[in-house]
């Protein structure tokens, strides 16, 4: 597995590289945003570990450009910035995860492994070849394709896995802990706003009116429930 580490701090890059190499990952290091974007195009990494404070462009801009180019590679932000607004913004522009520096090597490796499993074992997680049809919304887990009213919707890997999990359990109230375990692969507690921000992003993409959601409904104090309209034509 190829991991791209983007950070202008050489000591941080070395620490991340040694941590990743201890698990057999192939690591490429870059220290500038422009080089990061070029590396994503050239090497097509399996994972991007991204700092926010870069000399030529911010990590937010790098992540935004990666998504704008259509790349679905998992992007994990590694940053000393812990303000909620930074965390939320990171998720809103398409990051899959946010880990605060200084990081714990075991936690970093666990997060990397969880995201790589999502990418390389999608059929096992979402049900092989299932096609779920709701009111104007089609979710094909085999092709990892989402269509709303005839238009293809572009989702990140994490957004698709979250949508497929919610839709695959339509009508059932799903707790945040269960969502974290099933979609993110985390067995230990993390900030639950990761779920809320991803749901907000999904609503913007799939809901006709995100302020009046039709598909993804909140269950206060518990989690979320996908529309109780049973899927038709499942296979």
């Amino acid at each position: 597995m190829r991991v791209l580490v983007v950070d202008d701090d050489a000591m941080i890059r070395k620490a991340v590289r040694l941590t990743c190499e201890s698990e057999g990952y192939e690591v490429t290091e870059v220290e500038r945003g422009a080089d990061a974007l070029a590396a994503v195009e050239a090497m097509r990494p399996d994972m991007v570990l991204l700092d926010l404070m870069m000399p030529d462009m911010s990590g937010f801009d790098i992540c935004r450009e990666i998504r704008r180019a259509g790349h679905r590679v998992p992007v994990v932000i590694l940053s000393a910035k812990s303000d909620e607004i930074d965390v939320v913004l990171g998720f809103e522009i398409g990051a899959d995860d946010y880990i605060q520096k200084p990081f714990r090597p075991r936690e970093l490796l666990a997060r990397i492994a969880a995201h790589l499993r999502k990418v390389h074992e999608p059929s096992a997680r979402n049900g092989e070849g299932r096609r779920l049809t709701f009111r104007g919304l089609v979710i094909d887990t085999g092709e990892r394709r989402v269509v709303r009213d005839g238009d293809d919707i572009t989702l990140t890997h994490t957004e698709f896995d979250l949508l497929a999990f919610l839709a695959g359990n339509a009508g059932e109230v799903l707790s945040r802990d269960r969502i974290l375990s099933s979609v993110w692969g985390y067995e230990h507690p993390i900030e639950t706003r990761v779920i809320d921000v991803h749901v907000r992003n999904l609503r913007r993409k799939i809901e006709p009116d995100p302020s009046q959601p039709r598909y993804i409904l909140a269950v206060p104090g518990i989690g979320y429930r996908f529309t109780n309209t049973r899927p038709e034509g499942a296979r």
Side-chain angles (χ1 to χ4, degrees):
M1 298 292 178
R2 300 180 302 277
V3 177
L4 176 63
V5 179
V6 185
D7 200 308
D8 63 335
D9 188 320
M11 293 301 294
I12 294 294
R13 292 201 309 273
K14 180 179 179 180
V16 174
R17 175 173 56 80
L18 292 177
T19 297
C20 292
E21 289 179 343
S22 71
E23 289 297 305
Y25 299 127
E26 178 184 328
V27 179
T28 298
E29 303 177 34
V30 298
E31 59 180 317
R32 298 180 66 84
D35 294 334
L37 297 177
V40 170
E41 291 290 342
M43 65 178 284
R44 298 300 172 99
D46 298 285
M47 166 76 63
V48 176
L49 302 178
L50 177 63
D51 183 32
L52 290 182
M53 305 297 291
M54 304 293 292
D56 56 338
M57 59 192 304
S58 73
F60 294 128
D61 290 333
I62 297 170
C63 183
R64 188 179 290 109
E65 289 301 318
I66 289 174
R67 296 304 183 219
R68 187 173 295 161
H71 298 297
R72 298 184 179 183
V73 57
V75 175
V76 175
I77 292 176
L78 289 177
S79 177
K81 302 179 72 174
S82 60
D83 292 344
E84 182 170 355
I85 188 172
D86 294 314
V87 178
V88 171
L89 179 57
F91 291 137
E92 287 185 338
I93 62 175
D96 295 274
D97 211 342
Y98 196 112
I99 301 176
Q100 185 178 354
K101 297 175 184 176
F103 63 87
R104 295 188 294 273
R106 286 186 179 181
E107 180 181 1
L108 176 61
L109 290 175
R111 302 275 188 104
I112 291 174
H115 286 290
L116 290 177
R117 282 196 301 270
K118 288 190 307 176
V119 173
H120 294 283
E121 301 175 10
S123 60
R125 299 184 63 81
N126 296 318
E128 188 168 0
R130 296 185 67 193
R131 188 173 187 271
L132 306 176
T133 302
F134 299 87
R135 295 166 290 178
L137 185 69
V138 179
I139 304 165
D140 191 319
T141 63
E143 295 184 1
R144 294 183 69 82
R145 183 186 181 196
V146 177
V147 178
R148 193 195 76 189
D149 296 330
D151 295 325
D152 281 285
I153 305 297
T154 300
L155 302 178
T156 67
H157 273 286
T158 299
E159 288 170 347
F160 183 89
D161 287 339
L162 176 58
L163 178 61
F165 179 68
L166 294 173
N169 294 278
E172 183 177 352
V173 176
L174 301 170
S175 69
R176 283 178 167 80
D177 286 345
R178 184 175 171 189
I179 295 171
L180 281 172
S181 175
S182 298
V183 178
W184 274 264
Y186 300 156
E187 300 298 336
H188 54 84
I190 66 169
E191 295 291 343
T192 55
R193 62 184 170 226
V194 63
I195 300 173
D196 299 328
V197 177
H198 275 84
V199 165
R200 183 165 48 191
N201 288 345
L202 273 177
R203 284 175 171 166
R204 289 174 179 168
K205 294 181 178 183
I206 70 170
E207 297 282 2
D209 180 1
S211 65
Q212 298 291 328
R214 169 192 295 182
Y215 303 113
I216 304 175
L217 309 177
V219 181
I222 301 177
Y224 291 93
R225 175 174 61 84
F226 202 80
T227 178
N228 58 6
T229 302
R230 301 304 301 172
E232 303 170 356
R235 68 170 187 241

